[in-house]
């Protein structure tokens, strides 16, 4: 699959202006959806803790500009969702193996939500320099959406041109929340424990996997797996949080039930910063394929549009309540929930242990086109490459034609097997292979 980026032309540029001693931060937005483009501004107001907010945004920018895999670091723009009395900033590392989200909660902002929506945020050197210069006592005004065409501080003015957003970010958004939704809290560290833990981080790149363990009142990393230990692949990626250590009072550690991915949440009360790590440095969230099984059933576009009219950005998604209020069959709602999740329209909040709605500024067709394994499975069906050998309630066996070879797929309940190289190498840890997907489609 080609990895060409999606070129985005912003109607205006982000700006940071200083007027009468007040920093005014305005984040320009871009979208493919015409109806969203009509909205000039989503939010306008002040930030109640400018220093901490700036440190969190700088940490998010550090994530976005980093890379821990074969993909070289490059400047990418985080995504911001405004609505339901909070603002969420999201971003991935260039290698797509680290996901970061800053949640500015109701007490972190003091202003007016003029509309609800999701945009792309333009972070650049003048903006970062200005955030670095923010002091604890000054006031900062945040606006999401603007007609400004420049970025200005008291040091000068910068005019920006169009930027690019990689399609793997869209795929990452559809994948990472499935990992988050499968996580449980394992540890909670206080300020002293946080400092001690980060002081013990090994220098340089760490090969292999280490485990976060608790011994009495101390936490440490060990190469030995013990009960209740949290596996951390690519340990050096945790250094992205070092800039927040002086401000962190509480750090929550989560792990996915399969023991693959983990997340660290710095909780500041009025805001939270989540850092989720893919299973290993060489594995990006966009390539996992764990969403493919949820995309086997086509969801009518009318369903997606209906949900879009019902929910605002960042609004908690309660499928049971929606089913009751709108007289929708529970099984139908389960299908809709899985599909909305698979195309990135649902995020997951670890604190509330619940999905929230995200209005992505991309057409649904673009998201669906980014999964080559699913498209290859559809090609197998169109060429009649799948033949059932056995098909009953307990077991399904099928032959799937490959290039000069016949693959055997066996399905027993939720247990799947295939004789292809993908399954041999990854089992089901990185999503189903195209042969199993094709069989499931026929079923």
């Amino acid at each position: 699959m080609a990895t060409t980026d999606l070129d985005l032309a912003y109607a205006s540029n982000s700006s940071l202006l200083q007027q009468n001693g007040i920093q005014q931060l305005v984040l320009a937005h871009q979208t493919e959806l015409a109806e969203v483009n009509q909205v000039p501004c989503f939010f306008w107001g002040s930030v109640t803790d400018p220093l901490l907010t700036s440190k969190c945004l700088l940490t998010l920018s550090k994530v976005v500009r980093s890379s821990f895999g074969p993909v070289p670091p490059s400047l990418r723009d985080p995504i911001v969702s405004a609505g339901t009395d909070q603002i969420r900033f999201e971003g991935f590392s260039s290698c797509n193996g680290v996901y970061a989200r800053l949640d500015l909660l109701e007490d972190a902002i003091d202003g007016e939500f003029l509309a609800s929506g999701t945009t792309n945020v333009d972070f650049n050197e003048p903006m970062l320099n200005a955030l670095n210069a923010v002091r604890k006592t000054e006031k900062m005004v945040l606006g999401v959406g603007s007609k400004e065409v420049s970025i200005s501080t008291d040091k000068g003015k910068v005019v920006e041109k169009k930027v690019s957003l990689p399609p793997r970010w869209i795929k990452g958004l559809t994948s990472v929340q499935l990992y988050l939704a499968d996580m449980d809290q394992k540890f909670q560290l206080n300020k002293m424990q946080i400092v001690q833990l980060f002081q013990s981080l090994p220098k340089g790149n760490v090969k292999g996997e280490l485990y976060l363990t608790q011994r009495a009142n101390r936490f440490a990393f060990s190469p030995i797996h013990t009960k209740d230990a949290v596996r951390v692949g690519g340990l050096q990626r945790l250094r992205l949080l070092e800039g927040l250590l002086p401000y962190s009072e509480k750090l929550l550690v989560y792990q996915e039930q399969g023991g693959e991915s983990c997340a660290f949440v710095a909780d500041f009360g009025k805001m939270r910063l989540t850092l989720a790590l893919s299973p290993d440095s060489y594995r990006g969230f966009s390539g996992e394929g764990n969403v493919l099984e949820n995309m086997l059933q086509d969801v009518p576009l009318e369903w997606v549009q209906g949900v879009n009219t019902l929910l605002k950005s960042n609004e908690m998604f309660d499928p049971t309540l929606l089913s009751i209020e709108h007289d929708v069959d529970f099984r139908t709602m389960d299908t809709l929930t899985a599909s909305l999740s698979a195309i990135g329209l649902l995020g997951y909040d670890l604190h509330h242990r619940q999905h929230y709605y995200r209005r992505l500024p991309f057409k649904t067709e673009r998201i669906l086109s980014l999964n080559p394994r699913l498209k290859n499975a559809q090609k197998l069906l169109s060429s009649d490459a799948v033949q059932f050998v056995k098909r009953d309630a307990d077991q399904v066996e099928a032959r799937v034609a490959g290039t000069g070879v016949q693959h055997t797929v066996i399905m027993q309940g939720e247990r799947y097997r295939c004789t292809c190289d993908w399954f041999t190498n990854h089992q089901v840890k990185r999503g189903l292979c195209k042969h199993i997907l094709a069989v499931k489609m026929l079923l």
Side-chain angles (χ1 to χ4, degrees), residues 243-349:
L244 294 178
L245 294 184
Y247 312 93
S248 300
E249 298 291 338
K250 181 167 61 175
L251 183 68
L252 307 176
V253 183
Y254 296 80
Q255 184 166 53
E256 178 242 346
Q257 292 180 12
E260 293 281 296
S261 182
C262 62
F264 294 77
V265 180
D267 193 329
F268 305 100
K270 63 178 65 176
M271 64 188 76
R272 291 187 291 268
L273 190 135
T274 300
L275 190 80
L277 305 179
S278 65
D280 292 290
S281 295
Y282 62 87
R283 289 172 62 176
F285 283 113
S286 62
E288 291 299 274
N290 55 353
V291 302
L292 298 178
E293 194 171 353
N294 293 338
M295 301 176 71
L296 298 182
Q297 297 186 44
D298 291 332
V299 174
L301 186 58
E302 292 78 8
W303 289 17
V304 177
Q305 292 171 340
V307 173
N308 200 51
T309 60
L310 287 173
L311 301 177
K312 298 179 180 179
S313 279
N314 298 327
E315 185 173 348
M316 289 300 169
F317 185 85
D318 188 333
T320 302
L321 185 61
L322 286 173
S323 294
I324 296 173
E325 288 184 343
H326 301 282
D327 194 23
V328 177
D329 182 79
F330 286 123
R331 287 175 296 179
T332 301
M333 183 56 69
D334 287 342
T335 299
L336 176 61
T337 301
S339 299
L340 290 174
S341 198
I343 60 178
L345 296 181
L346 294 182
Y348 193 79
D349 190 310

Side-chain angles (χ1 to χ4, degrees), residues 1-4 167 171 289 291-298 364-386 400-401 432-439 441:
M1 172 187 158
T3 58
T4 54
K171 292 179 65 178
V291 302
L292 298 178
E293 194 171 353
N294 293 338
M295 301 176 71
L296 298 182
Q297 297 186 44
D298 291 332
T364 304
E365 293 83 354
R366 182 183 298 281
I367 301 172
L368 295 176
S369 69
L370 297 176
N371 293 282
R373 222 181 306 165
L374 193 62
K375 291 192 290 185
N376 289 336
Q378 292 168 339
K379 287 180 181 179
L380 290 173
L381 294 182
S382 63
S383 61
D384 295 324
V386 179
V400 183
L432 303 180
C433 68
K434 63 182 179 181
H435 311 105
I436 297 177
L437 285 171
V439 174
M441 285 179 181

